[in-house]
Amino acid sequence: MTVGVGIIGTGVMGAEHGRLLDREISGAQVRAVFDLDAGRAAAIAASLRSARVCDDPFELITESTVDAVVVASSDPTHEQFVLAALAAGKPVLCEKPLAPDVAGCERIIAAELAAGRQLVSVGFMRRFDPGYQQLKQAVEGDRLGLPLMLHCTHRNQQAPAGLSSELLISGSAVHELDIARWLLGEELSRVTVHRPRSSRVSQPTEDPLFLVLESSSGVLIDIEVFLNSGYGYEVRCELVAEQGTVFLDAPAPIIERRAGDVLRTVPADWRPRFAAAYRNELQNWIDSIGRGLPCEAATSWDGYAATVAAQAAILALRTGDPQPIGGMARPELYPAPVGSDRLTQTVAPA
Ligand code: ISE
């Protein structure tokens, strides 16, 4: 079956999903696109082989040629479109965050529970990155022992002007909040946010920020998030365990030696860095719809958990105090984070 896809939002990510679905993903056809900016939607539709512009996002969702929906519109609009896709009984891949506020995520979960089946996937694409997948395999294997600490670095080249400090957490560090849960196979329990001196390029935005979290078994996670790093887009991650560490580097770097320098290229944004991840995520999503294969993407429970942690971190930023990361009990519809009992043993002091 060819899966007909409708895309809501044709900004950077909507356009990228459209290009990938059209050119690199098998079993899919983009049939309709919507954007508040009709000119932008028309330009993207023209670049795709079989898409037409739809001028109402809710009509796009119910349109008979659209089997599944990608939501890549602005963060506050995600909830209404995901709820409409659920009401239409159609699978939906929603860019992160699922919803910026916890209540919005709860309404999505309630609607999905009422539908009685999982239809919502959240675009935490790093789960499909070959590097992160190898990191997870290493963590789950026997050779490293129990995980103790996770050091994360997340740098963008340049932040959009006027970006709020909260968005450093809900738009960027939220990826690490998800990947930490996924890698460790457990929930996060507490967060503190430190504010180093802000870069003069970023002021008045507080940038960089430094988050320190604890997992429920006692692993310590630190996240540097720096959106005006100036030099490029870079994501690093090192897991420190009892018997060694495992470090995630940039994939397949080209290293140039010239005129007394050793130069390694850094991409300008996340699309080249996570190209394989976006492709694998979309292919898996399409295969789960068209061929009935298991969908490995983050669920709305994962989207909810990431937003709960992000909101706790935003409160920690504002108050300067550590904040607990709570939330409701996981409904049975959603699988528990995958780890092993061995990984999540509490590390008792000697
Ligand atoms: C951006 O919105 C993304 O989603 C990227 O994956 C992330 O790394 C970046 O920091 C965000 O600004």
Side-chain angles (χ1 to χ4, degrees), residues 179-200:
I179 216 71
R181 293 179 62 247
W182 177 77
L183 274 177
L184 299 170
E186 58 174 336
E187 297 299 344
L188 306 171
S189 58
R190 197 173 145 91
V191 56
T192 310
V193 178
H194 301 271
R195 320 136 113 139
R197 169 198 286 166
S198 289
S199 158
R200 286 174 296 172

Side-chain angles (χ1 to χ4, degrees), residues 95-96 125-126 154 156 171-172 175 227 233 235 270 278:
E95 266 306 318
K96 57 82 203 166
M125 77 298 181
R126 290 188 188 183
H154 183 156
N156 281 14
S172 293
H175 280 291
L227 292 203
Y233 181 79
V235 164
W270 51 92
Y278 284 118

Side-chain angles (χ1 to χ4, degrees), residues 147-345:
L148 306 173
M149 291 182 287
L150 188 64
H151 304 302
C152 309
T153 306
H154 183 156
R155 298 189 187 134
N156 281 14
Q157 182 169 32
Q158 193 183 15
L163 187 86
S164 72
S165 307
E166 282 79 2
L167 258 178
L168 264 75
I169 296 173
S170 64
S172 293
V174 70
H175 280 291
E176 273 78 14
L177 300 177
D178 177 67
I179 216 71
R181 293 179 62 247
W182 177 77
L183 274 177
L184 299 170
E186 58 174 336
E187 297 299 344
L188 306 171
S189 58
R190 197 173 145 91
V191 56
T192 310
V193 178
H194 301 271
R195 320 136 113 139
R197 169 198 286 166
S198 289
S199 158
R200 286 174 296 172
V201 178
S202 307
Q203 286 168 12
T205 306
E206 292 168 295
D207 175 48
L209 294 177
F210 194 82
L211 284 62
V212 180
L213 296 107
E214 287 159 45
S215 76
S216 48
S217 75
V219 179
L220 201 69
I221 300 141
D222 60 79
I223 307 170
E224 174 208 304
V225 56
F226 186 15
L227 292 203
N228 268 315
S229 79
Y231 69 88
Y233 181 79
E234 194 172 24
V235 164
R236 296 201 295 250
C237 181
E238 182 179 23
L239 184 114
V240 180
E242 290 170 314
Q243 310 293 336
T245 85
V246 49
F247 180 74
L248 175 81
D249 209 344
I254 289 172
I255 299 177
E256 189 176 316
R257 292 178 167 79
R258 184 168 42 87
D261 284 325
V262 178
L263 302 168
R264 181 166 149 165
T265 314
V266 185
D269 72 34
W270 51 92
R271 285 168 296 173
R273 167 61 185 88
F274 287 111
Y278 284 118
R279 223 176 13 249
N280 296 343
E281 173 186 64
L282 280 173
Q283 190 64 67
N284 172 254
W285 183 61
I286 291 297
D287 286 345
S288 73
I289 301 162
R291 300 170 55 202
L293 299 182
C295 185
E296 315 283 348
T299 64
S300 39
W301 174 254
D302 298 314
Y304 163 79
T307 294
V308 168
Q311 289 304 317
I314 287 170
L315 195 60
L317 169 70
R318 286 292 148 244
T319 58
D321 296 325
Q323 297 295 329
I325 301 175
M328 62 174 163
R330 179 175 49 80
E332 267 180 27
L333 182 67
Y334 304 106
V338 181
S340 69
D341 293 345
R342 182 186 64 78
L343 285 182
T344 53
Q345 281 167 33

